Amino acid sequence: MKLVEHFQYGLSSPICLTWELTYACNLACVHCLSSSGRRDPRELSTQECKAVVDELRRMQVFYVNIGGGEPTVRPDFWELLDYSIDHDVGVKFSTNGIKLDRKRADQLARTDYVDVQISLDGATAEINDQVRGPGSYATAVRALENLAEAGFAQPKISVVMTRQNVDQLDEFAAIAATFGAQLRITRLRPSGRGADVWDELHPLPSQQRQLYDWLVAHGDNVLTGDSFFHLSAYGEALPGLNLCGAGRVVCLIDPVGDVYACPFAIHDQFLAGNVRSPGGFGEVWQNSALFTELRQPQTGGACQSCMHYDSCQGGCMAAKFFTGLPLDGPDPECVRGFGEAALAARDGSIAVPTSQVDHSRPGPRPRVPVTIGMPSLRGSAGGGPAMQPDKACETSPLVGMPGDPSDSRLRVPAAGS
């Protein structure tokens, strides 16, 4: 049996576990998958988080991908990082860089089994800050500078590909080379706040081909995970996991302990359980009804007859769900054009699903550039102990400041990589 066939039927523990420690964030990125901003008072406590780490160690989970929100604004973040590493669970954490000053960079450079991923969605401040907020480009670059000066080997630069930054792929690669980093590019999904801007931000068909050609030519040292396997229908299969790993090899633990099949599908339909329930995370992963169902043989539905099905496997479950398409139908960005046709044929009486989880702060968000005259593809259808609330400066380090929006180490792959 091929390795990918083992993956289809699930593993005894996830190979890529994403854990969002907090919904608190100092930024208000327009495409945020988890609609982060405000902290949820039901967050897992420090001791509950440590208990999850203990369980992951028993399950022999190799590493955990920590995100948020902005995980470093959680007051016990560094304590939890040390605890995880001390208990043989490696950590990759994603950050906008707000807390990575020289002292923390030095600390990380001395720490084994940790990897750092800096989010940057434009190779220039003009493009990045329209999506992530004023000053966010400078913050990310400063964090990369601090890591480089501290001697931290090969951090990751994580880029969500949008209509505005596809032309900057060479520039992103140059930035990564400057800081001795590795480039990681991921797909924009129409979930969380990303659903509101997907029409304006997701790459055009011609840009998808541009992205595919660039990856074929330059992608040997670029991490993509399972983000772009739908592009393999162009011809040559791209590196990475060539199927949807939701509930099979990947999943998400959110700040309140809910376990979802996919980091990009925070919705009750993909909620498998909660780590606070009897049996904890292990019981959810091994025996939840949802994960059991996802690990059954998939028919491929309408895509099965397509000659490219073996390459693209029908595309991304979350992208289909949050654009109102059937899960056994084509991906909305199907490179053969079937997704666009499916979007146009949707029944207007059926509401497009949205996540019930929204911790967005009120107030202005970054402005999204809109391509004038470009038609919309979506049409008109539109338990446990709680921690004490953070002080404002802990939840949002930019409060009151201008622009406030309200291995010598372990070589681990990025989430889904």
Side-chain angles (χ1 to χ4, degrees):
M1 181 181 288
K2 296 179 180 179
L3 184 60
V4 70
E5 292 174 340
H6 284 288
F7 288 172
Q8 286 179 323
Y9 297 104
L11 302 177
S12 59
S13 62
I15 60 172
C16 181
L17 171 63
T18 298
W19 186 359
E20 295 181 345
L21 283 182
T22 184
Y23 286 123
C25 190
N26 57 295
L27 298 182
C29 301
V30 298
H31 59 4
C32 180
L33 295 166
S34 58
S35 298
S36 292
R38 294 174 290 109
R39 184 179 185 182
D40 193 313
R42 301 170 299 157
E43 279 181 7
L44 297 175
S45 68
T46 302
Q47 291 307 311
E48 286 178 312
C49 287
K50 290 181 177 179
V52 171
V53 172
D54 292 340
E55 188 170 13
L56 298 180
R57 181 186 188 184
R58 289 193 295 270
M59 294 176 68
Q60 297 183 315
V61 172
F62 182 57
Y63 83 98
V64 59
N65 185 73
I66 290 179
E70 170 51 45
T72 64
V73 302
R74 183 168 159 144
D76 59 358
F77 170 77
W78 302 100
E79 177 183 353
L80 292 174
L81 182 144
D82 288 341
Y83 185 86
S84 182
I85 292 169
D86 289 345
H87 288 76
D88 303 317
V89 178
V91 172
K92 169 187 283 293
F93 70 92
S94 300
T95 175
N96 58 47
I98 189 64
K99 293 287 188 177
L100 289 191
D101 56 18
R102 291 184 178 179
K103 178 181 178 181
R104 289 301 187 190
D106 288 338
Q107 174 186 342
L108 291 168
R110 296 191 303 269
T111 304
D112 290 331
Y113 306 110
V114 65
D115 205 356
V116 183
Q117 183 168 280
I118 306 296
S119 297
L120 194 66
D121 292 332
T124 59
E126 178 185 10
I127 298 297
N128 178 86
D129 291 5
Q130 287 178 326
V131 172
R132 303 189 61 83
S136 56
Y137 180 87
T139 298
V141 170
R142 183 166 58 249
L144 288 166
E145 291 172 343
N146 290 338
L147 290 170
E149 290 177 7
F152 187 96
Q154 202 176 56
K156 308 297 183 287
I157 297 176
S158 181
V159 180
V160 177
M161 299 309 304
T162 67
R163 190 172 303 177
Q164 286 70 32
N165 66 20
V166 171
D167 288 337
Q168 296 185 318
L169 282 165
D170 289 334
E171 295 173 66
F172 282 122
I175 293 173
T178 296
F179 294 107
Q182 186 173 20
L183 181 62
R184 174 182 182 249
I185 63 174
T186 63
R187 182 181 178 183
L188 174 70
R189 265 81 169 195
S191 53
R193 288 197 295 268
D196 299 330
V197 297
W198 191 75
D199 283 345
E200 290 77 25
L201 292 186
H202 81 94
L204 299 169
S206 61
Q207 293 178 312
Q208 291 205 80
R209 181 71 203 215
Q210 178 183 349
L211 173 58
Y212 172 80
D213 290 342
W214 190 88
L215 285 171
V216 170
H218 307 288
D220 287 347
N221 195 40
V222 177
L223 298 174
T224 60
D226 62 355
S227 283
F228 300 110
F229 61 91
H230 69 294
L231 297 183
S232 294
Y234 278 126
E236 181 180 342
L238 296 173
L241 183 61
N242 189 30
L243 83 160
C244 172
R248 301 180 179 101
V249 295
V250 305
C251 70
L252 167 75
I253 301 176
D254 86 344
V256 302
D258 283 337
V259 181
Y260 293 90
C262 170
F264 312 115
I266 303 177
H267 188 279
D268 283 351
Q269 184 163 328
F270 303 104
L271 177 61
N274 189 286
V275 301
R276 286 170 167 153
S277 300
F281 173 74
E283 174 65 21
V284 176
W285 176 258
Q286 294 164 6
N287 298 312
S288 76
L290 174 64
F291 288 175
T292 299
E293 179 182 355
L294 289 171
R295 293 164 188 167
Q296 299 304 307
Q298 304 298 306
T299 65
C303 291
Q304 185 70 60
S305 60
C306 177
M307 63 182 296
H308 301 282
Y309 178 73
D310 287 343
S311 298
C312 83
Q313 297 287 320
C316 173
M317 176 183 73
K320 288 185 270 191
F321 181 76
F322 286 115
T323 50
L325 298 182
L327 298 185
D328 62 353
D331 189 291
E333 293 183 288
C334 167
V335 301
R336 314 307 298 180
F338 300 127
E340 187 173 352
L343 288 172
R346 287 175 307 176
D347 185 345
S349 66
I350 300 177
V352 176
T354 58
S355 175
Q356 299 93 333
V357 176
D358 191 345
H359 290 79
S360 302
R361 293 192 305 274
R365 296 178 187 164
R367 181 182 66 83
V368 179
V370 178
T371 304
I372 303 299
M374 189 59 60
S376 168
L377 292 180
R378 295 183 66 187
S380 57
M387 299 176 67
Q388 293 298 314
D390 285 341
K391 298 177 182 178
C393 62
E394 293 169 337
T395 300
S396 178
L398 301 186
V399 166
M401 297 177 63
D404 170 30
S406 157
D407 244 267
S408 57
R409 281 178 301 280
L410 178 67
R411 306 284 183 170
V412 294
S417 297

